[in-house]
Amino acid sequence: MPTISTDNDVQTVITTFEMTPGTCQDLMDELVDAYENFISKQPGFVGAGLHVNDAQTRIANYSQWARREDFLAMLRSDEMRARNRRINELCRSFEPVMYDVASSFH
């Protein structure tokens, strides 16, 4: 499970997807399948969450990894490269960005 804290020594990745309401559920199905059957089983995976806006035009994905290299290895794998080609067909754009937690409030 992701923990948002400046004391947490993990790599945080936030990915945003832009799509039409007509492809939102298809994209969500692809992402859930990717997490359940591949991403969550990769070395260094800590946890993730998927969020959909009410207009079903954006999905935000928050994930955490033990190390930056763990995320990059998963992203560069043949399995994920094939999945990302399918995901790309369902959305206008998507971009994973690595972040450091600068501050958190509970």
Side-chain angles (χ1 to χ4, degrees):
M1 171 168 232
T3 301
I4 302 171
S5 170
T6 56
D7 297 335
N8 204 356
D9 188 26
V10 295
Q11 178 63 65
T12 299
V13 181
I14 299 174
T15 306
T16 54
F17 302 84
E18 186 177 343
M19 81 298 276
T20 66
T23 59
C24 182
Q25 189 58 55
D26 294 332
L27 180 55
M28 183 59 79
D29 292 345
E30 281 286 336
L31 293 170
V32 168
D33 184 70
Y35 271 103
E36 287 179 348
N37 295 303
F38 181 70
I39 299 171
S40 65
K41 296 171 177 31
Q42 299 310 296
F45 177 78
V46 174
L50 292 166
H51 309 263
V52 179
N53 72 334
D54 59 351
Q56 295 189 336
T57 56
R58 295 189 189 277
I59 294 174
N61 170 227
Y62 185 94
S63 66
Q64 289 182 329
W65 296 82
R67 301 175 315 128
R68 173 186 181 98
E69 295 79 14
D70 295 328
F71 172 74
L72 292 174
M74 177 280 300
L75 199 60
R76 293 176 179 148
S77 69
D78 290 341
E79 170 86 14
M80 199 63 217
R81 289 175 67 204
R83 286 178 178 274
N84 277 339
R85 282 191 290 276
R86 290 193 305 274
I87 288 167
N88 190 52
E89 292 174 2
L90 295 170
C91 61
R92 290 186 190 125
S93 65
F94 73 97
E95 181 180 14
V97 179
M98 293 186 208
Y99 292 90
D100 293 320
V101 177
S103 189
S104 66
F105 306 92
H106 302 271

